Structures are given as C-alpha cells and as structure tokens.
Amino acid sequence: MLLAKHPVISVNGNTAVLVPEETRKLAELVNAKVEINVFHHSPERVEKIKRYLEKHGIEVLAAGDAVLEGLESARRIVDSRGILIADVVLVPLEDGDRCEILKRHGKKVIAIDLNPLSRTARMADITIVDNIIRAFPKMVEMAEEMRKWERERLKEVVENYDNSKVLAEAVEGIIQYLQKVKGELLSP
Amino acid sequence: MLLAKHPVISVNGNTAVLVPEETRKLAELVNAKVEINVFHHSPERVEKIKRYLEKHGIEVLAAGDAVLEGLESARRIVDSRGILIADVVLVPLEDGDRCEILKRHGKKVIAIDLNPLSRTARMADITIVDNIIRAFPKMVEMAEEMRKWERERLKEVVENYDNSKVLAEAVEGIIQYLQKVKGELLSP
C-alpha cells in the first residue's frame, strides 16, 4: 500500500464497527482513501456507516457514482475517486466474488480472510489469514515502521512475497492444530 | 438402533425435505418412531412438515405434549410417545445444545455431522461424520443387512465401538486433504 498510487481501504459495516480507529490510522499512514462498499446497499445504511466513520475522524468516499462491471451485488457500486481508479484495494471482510472482479479490473487485492482456502484467499495478491481485529492493529504498527523505509526496500519485500507460500503456511497451521486434536481424541 | 427399546428419528424441515424416503425406510427397518423436532417452532411449520412426511407414508409424532427440561429452544417441545421416552435418538441435523441435554436425560445419541470437531460431534455416542444425503441411504442399506444379525452380534459391534477413534479418523481425513492442498500450493 505504501508503494501504491491510489490505495483504497474498502470498508463495510462490520469493518467500520470493529476497527474504526485502526482504519483511520492505517489510511493516514499509507495515504489511502477509505471507501464504503457494502454487499447489501441502501442509502440509509451507507449514510449511517459514513457518519460513524466520520465521527472517528475519517474522510470517507461513498459517492456511488461509478460501477465496477462484472459484479451482481451492490459491491459493484463504487466511488469514481476511490475503488474505480485504485491500483491497490484492501478488502478486510470479503464476501465472495469481488476479489476476482477487482483483479480483472487490474487492481492488486489485499484480503484479510480467516479461511486460507476460500476463493478470496486464493485469488488475492496478498492474503492475510487472520481476524481483522488482530490484523488491523498489526498492520498499523507495521505501516508506522515501513513508511520510513526506502522505496527500494519496500519493492524488494513485494518482489519476494509469495502468497501461495503464505497460504501453505496457514494450512500447515491448521494441520498442526488438527494433529493435536487427533492426539487428544486418541489419548485415553 | 436395532438394539434399542424406543429408538426415535428426530426430523426437522431440512431432513424431511432431503431424505423423506430414506427416513421412512430406516424407521421401518429399525422399528423407530419418527418425531418432528424443530429449532424454530410454529404450529404451521410443524403441520407442513408433518403433511410432507405423511405423504411419503411416514407415521409421524408431533404432539408437542411434553417438554425436555434444560433446553431453551423450541427443541425442548417433544412428544410423550417419542423423544421423551426414547432410549436412542438419531439426530440427523443438529444445531447446538440439544445433544448434551438428550444425554443428560439418559438417552444414547446418534448424530450426523459434517464437522467432527463440533460440540454435537464430540458429545454424541455415535457420530457419523457425513452429509445426511450420503449417510441415510447407507444407513438404510446397513440396517437391511444388520437386522438379520443375532442380538449378540449387534451388541458386540456396539461394545467395540469407539467414537473418539471414529472422530480421530475423520480428523485424519481432513489432515490428508489439507496436506494435498498444501502440496498443490507449494508446487510451481
């Protein structure tokens, strides 16, 4: 996100309620726009989320003046200053088919997903296999540190990043847990 | 169920719709009562499920004239000729706290659950880790065969049965699958 031209944090109701402070901090640190994007759209709902985020000092995009072709859900309704022109989109809580469309529109997607085998987790460029409540504070911390880095050093990180390896590590974590459970089941 | 005095198959709307024929066959083969037991109760819903099962030739209990102490949900409403006096209850699609209560009331519980680590799966006396659409036809087939067996032989099967081992095997199956996925993620 620090290397992106137009990074956008896509926020829905859950994200807004769960990590408003961290959303503000992260957006400031990586110079990202915050856009409201919901699966079930209603002007009242978007307005409510907007007011909530603004109360936390976040400047919010929610114009809904553009459409992301290829999506059936309300997630297609985007802001022409935000997701439409974004090169990197952070999708903290995903719900299905959006990741693929964002990628087809040429965007890099950073997803946060508890399930390393979900469609989103496997389609994203970067998948953070975690809960946003844990992930966001950590991302803020890392952004604070990494924003001081040279662009060359950041580029190196991105170039050496292998999402399949990260997913495989998460799967290995689950395997380890299941091995433990299995052992417990078999111990008298 | 073949050894039970009062075996009951507890059926909710999903089970009724998914495996009505197999429910009838299984009930006949093991001489079990079929009782409607739902999480969200309404007389209309129970009546609808009842009519649907009766259309498939099933004699249905749904008097709702007794209460299973210890349960908050509508699952507590039972039939005095069915679950209340049952010694073995088959719960094909479970939704939480019922298994524990059934056990506290001295009943043996056979659960069908896709998740071998769920509360129900771990509390049941026998857990069939599968989808009811696959499990029910198989159970009918096995009942057709096993009803010809001597009681002694059936008792031996029950005595040698180890649910923890069965759950451990199911967990091992998931581990194998995850190992495969992990391998695919890491192969170039």
Side-chain angles (χ1 to χ4, degrees):
Chain A
M1 294 183 86
L2 288 163
L3 289 171
K5 272 200 188 110
H6 297 292
V8 171
I9 304 174
S10 176
V11 173
N12 67 357
N14 282 334
T15 307
V17 169
L18 291 171
V19 283
E21 273 306 310
E22 287 79 3
T23 300
R24 181 184 57 73
K25 282 186 200 160
L26 186 62
E28 281 172 14
L29 287 166
V30 303
N31 204 16
K33 298 249 172 31
V34 175
E35 176 168 341
I36 297 172
N37 189 261
V38 293
F39 190 77
H40 297 288
H41 192 274
S42 87
E44 297 77 32
R45 249 189 102 220
V46 170
E47 191 53 38
K48 261 193 195 163
I49 300 171
K50 189 161 181 261
R51 265 191 308 230
Y52 186 80
L53 290 169
E54 283 171 350
K55 244 184 20 197
H56 282 86
I58 302 171
E59 202 179 311
V60 182
L61 297 182
D65 60 345
V67 163
L68 210 59
E69 298 294 341
L71 268 174
E72 305 257 313
S73 75
R75 291 256 188 225
R76 74 183 183 283
I77 304 164
V78 295
D79 191 302
S80 61
R81 300 156 297 171
I83 290 173
L84 189 78
I85 58 162
D87 52 351
V88 175
V89 184
L90 170 61
V91 288
L93 281 171
E94 198 36 16
D95 42 36
D97 56 350
R98 187 164 54 133
C99 186
E100 188 173 355
I101 305 297
L102 286 169
K103 295 225 23 165
R104 224 186 286 159
H105 283 262
K107 298 165 198 318
K108 297 277 179 200
V109 177
I110 306 170
I112 303 176
D113 198 321
L114 273 168
N115 177 4
L117 302 181
S118 76
R119 217 174 135 67
T120 297
R122 299 178 87 149
M123 291 231 52
D125 296 281
I126 295 178
T127 306
I128 299 162
V129 183
D130 205 347
N131 186 310
I132 56 166
I133 289 187
R134 276 191 300 256
F136 258 58
K138 197 132 195 179
M139 289 170 82
V140 168
E141 214 176 280
M142 287 174 83
E144 269 164 358
E145 172 61 25
M146 290 171 89
R147 72 199 296 258
K148 298 174 207 152
W149 294 9
E150 306 279 338
R151 284 185 72 85
E152 283 313 309
R153 192 172 166 203
L154 292 172
K155 274 185 193 162
E156 219 173 283
V157 170
V158 171
E159 273 155 24
N160 290 320
Y161 181 82
D162 180 345
N163 206 44
S164 291
K165 219 175 123 197
V166 166
L167 293 178
E169 275 164 24
V171 171
E172 177 57 30
I174 298 173
I175 290 172
Q176 300 278 340
Y177 168 76
L178 290 175
Q179 295 280 21
K180 200 178 125 250
V181 169
K182 194 187 140 197
E184 283 162 10
L185 282 165
L186 292 177
S187 71
Chain B
M1 292 182 89
L2 288 164
L3 289 172
K5 274 202 188 104
H6 297 291
V8 171
I9 304 174
S10 175
V11 173
N12 67 357
N14 282 335
T15 306
V17 169
L18 292 170
V19 282
E21 274 305 311
E22 288 79 3
T23 299
R24 181 183 57 73
K25 282 186 200 158
L26 187 62
E28 280 171 15
L29 287 167
V30 303
N31 203 18
K33 299 248 172 29
V34 174
E35 176 169 341
I36 298 172
N37 188 261
V38 293
F39 189 77
H40 296 289
H41 193 274
S42 87
E44 298 76 34
R45 249 188 103 219
V46 170
E47 191 53 38
K48 262 194 194 163
I49 300 171
K50 191 162 179 262
R51 266 192 309 237
Y52 186 80
L53 289 171
E54 283 170 352
K55 245 185 14 198
H56 282 85
I58 301 171
E59 203 180 311
V60 183
L61 297 182
D65 59 346
V67 162
L68 211 61
E69 298 294 341
L71 269 174
E72 305 256 313
S73 77
R75 291 259 189 221
R76 73 183 182 283
I77 304 164
V78 295
D79 192 303
S80 60
R81 300 157 297 172
I83 291 173
L84 189 76
I85 58 161
D87 51 350
V88 174
V89 184
L90 170 62
V91 288
L93 280 171
E94 198 36 18
D95 43 33
D97 55 354
R98 188 167 53 136
C99 186
E100 189 175 352
I101 305 296
L102 287 169
K103 296 226 21 165
R104 226 187 283 160
H105 283 261
K107 299 163 197 319
K108 297 277 178 198
V109 178
I110 305 170
I112 303 176
D113 199 321
L114 273 168
N115 177 4
L117 303 182
S118 76
R119 215 176 137 66
T120 296
R122 299 178 86 150
M123 291 232 53
D125 295 282
I126 295 178
T127 305
I128 299 161
V129 183
D130 205 345
N131 187 310
I132 56 167
I133 290 186
R134 276 191 301 255
F136 258 57
K138 197 130 195 179
M139 288 170 84
V140 168
E141 214 176 280
M142 288 174 82
E144 269 164 358
E145 172 61 25
M146 290 170 89
R147 70 199 298 257
K148 299 174 206 152
W149 295 8
E150 305 278 341
R151 284 185 72 83
E152 282 313 309
R153 190 170 169 205
L154 291 171
K155 273 185 193 162
E156 218 173 284
V157 169
V158 171
E159 271 156 25
N160 290 320
Y161 181 82
D162 180 346
N163 206 44
S164 291
K165 220 175 123 194
V166 166
L167 293 177
E169 274 164 24
V171 170
E172 178 57 30
I174 299 174
I175 291 172
Q176 300 278 338
Y177 168 75
L178 290 175
Q179 295 280 20
K180 200 178 123 250
V181 170
K182 194 186 139 195
E184 283 162 11
L185 281 165
L186 291 177
S187 71

